[in-house]
PDB file of all heavy atoms in Angstrom:
ATOM      1  N   VAL A  87       6.403  22.971 -22.042  1.00  0.00           N
ATOM      2  CA  VAL A  87       6.380  21.516 -22.246  1.00  0.00           C
ATOM      3  C   VAL A  87       5.380  21.146 -23.332  1.00  0.00           C
ATOM      4  O   VAL A  87       5.653  20.310 -24.213  1.00  0.00           O
ATOM      5  CB  VAL A  87       6.042  20.801 -20.923  1.00  0.00           C
ATOM      6  CG1 VAL A  87       5.984  19.290 -21.130  1.00  0.00           C
ATOM      7  CG2 VAL A  87       7.074  21.123 -19.852  1.00  0.00           C
ATOM      8  N   GLY A 132      24.663  30.344 -32.241  1.00  0.00           N
ATOM      9  CA  GLY A 132      23.487  29.708 -31.666  1.00  0.00           C
ATOM     10  C   GLY A 132      22.878  30.521 -30.547  1.00  0.00           C
ATOM     11  O   GLY A 132      22.916  31.751 -30.555  1.00  0.00           O
ATOM     12  N   ILE A 202     -14.279  31.325  -9.900  1.00  0.00           N
ATOM     13  CA  ILE A 202     -13.827  32.682 -10.198  1.00  0.00           C
ATOM     14  C   ILE A 202     -13.354  33.330  -8.905  1.00  0.00           C
ATOM     15  O   ILE A 202     -14.113  33.413  -7.931  1.00  0.00           O
ATOM     16  CB  ILE A 202     -14.951  33.504 -10.841  1.00  0.00           C
ATOM     17  CG1 ILE A 202     -15.361  32.885 -12.184  1.00  0.00           C
ATOM     18  CG2 ILE A 202     -14.519  34.950 -11.042  1.00  0.00           C
ATOM     19  CD1 ILE A 202     -16.496  33.604 -12.861  1.00  0.00           C
TER      20      ILE A 202
END
Side-chain angles (χ1 to χ4, degrees):
V87 179
I202 297 178

